[in-house]
Amino acid sequence: MDKPKVVLGVSGGIAAYKACELLRRLTESGHDVRVVPTGAALHFVGAATWSALSGNPVSTEVWSDVHEVPHVRIGQRADLVVVAPATADMLAKAAHGIADDLLTNTLLTARCPVVFAPAMHTEMWEHPATQENVATLRRRGAVVIEPAVGRLTGADTGKGRLPDPDEIFEICRRVLARGSAAGPDLAGRHVVVSAGGTREPLDPVRYLGNRSSGKQGYALARTAAARGARVTLIEANTGMPDPAGVDVVHVGTAVQLREAVLKAAADADVVVMAAAVADFRPASYAEGKIKKKDGQEPAPIALVRNPDILAEISAERARPGQVVVGFAAETDDVLANGRDKLRRKGCDLLVVNEVGERKTFGSEENEAVVLAADGTETPVPYGPKEALAETVWDLVVPRLGGTDTGDSDTSG
Ligand code: CTP
């Protein structure tokens, strides 16, 4: 079988050196990679490096090897085009169909999935011009990965860092695995996923918590990004590093989670409540550590109800046509309890997990039945959490309405 053909576009930013690592990951995992740098990119990493690492010729303009018509052929033959780093200038050219070098010509002729991994200073990323270009590219079906937050060139820190090359590689792998036919079916959509488990503090050192690992929520966030969505991941106490390409909001308690979900849901097409939210919290919080007292029984802990976020966002949809997905962990009468919960919560889809042997919190695998409000039930066999995540998106996509409002927020 032929190796999958990947075009690695490199535009002129300091993060170009990190693309060498991405190139190495791609070639070592059996991809035939053709590197197409811009002229500016060669100021950072020379053609000899790209050529040696890829084993393929490298040129920046359309005038080399003209008999092979490279400005058309390279894009036409590609199974995936990934541009890393993508500068503000490159995003602008791609959004406007400008074709003034080999890479921009390739972007116009490619009919395969295209992934952009932007890297630039925070001001440039947040500028409305860049945000509108990103929204345009996403609406057309490109996967634009959210930049990471961290140290930028010089002393600056902020949003705009190129995500870790391993993470970009993982997104490329997922996009390639889905193939051109499936396409980025969440392109232009804003997806909100909550993950992890809330912790309800008793005093400065103790809390009531649960054993949710957050892995299922992370799998949902990663797969949605690879299907082209703009993703907001609301994370509670997972301890896991932020996944590449998504916006992450960190919260601790159910009340904080509710606030973050309501804020993000305001312009979301989909909200998935994968987090394990504590149903109760201590009625009072002790400012100082609660001490044991000799000869005295411990005082009982009084609890109060937490808001039910899933029921609330299902009842009052922030946008018409918004799809809301819940999760339920059951030990007995799994389906009957699940059907009842779907009705009570009022969501569109409910992913029902049976918890028990082999199906413990923290595992890499899951088995579930996805119940839909229209009565359909989709069993998902025991397998990786990513596979369950893909099935959830497969069921969400046909339930989405049109993209009338687009995806043009400027919050970065
Ligand atoms: N959920 C929520 N707000 C809460 C509690 C739960 O949004 N205060 C959401 C969870 O994110 C999940 C679903 O509701 O999507 C789980 O519902 P829940 O009724 O808590 O299920 P269980 O934990 O299985 O609780 P029980 O069986 O006690 O009803």
Side-chain angles (χ1 to χ4, degrees), residues 59-66 69-71 99-103 105:
S59 69
T60 61
E61 28 97 329
V62 296
W63 307 114
S64 326
D65 305 314
V66 176
V69 203
H71 76 287
D100 60 358
D101 64 3
L102 188 56
L103 178 54
N105 272 273

Side-chain angles (χ1 to χ4, degrees), residues 194 254 273-279 306-311 325-330 341 344-345 350:
S194 71
M273 285 295 299
V277 187
D279 289 319
N306 268 330
D308 189 325
I309 308 164
L310 179 60
V325 184
F327 272 71
E330 303 289 344
K341 193 168 286 179
R344 277 191 286 116
K345 300 272 187 176
L350 188 76

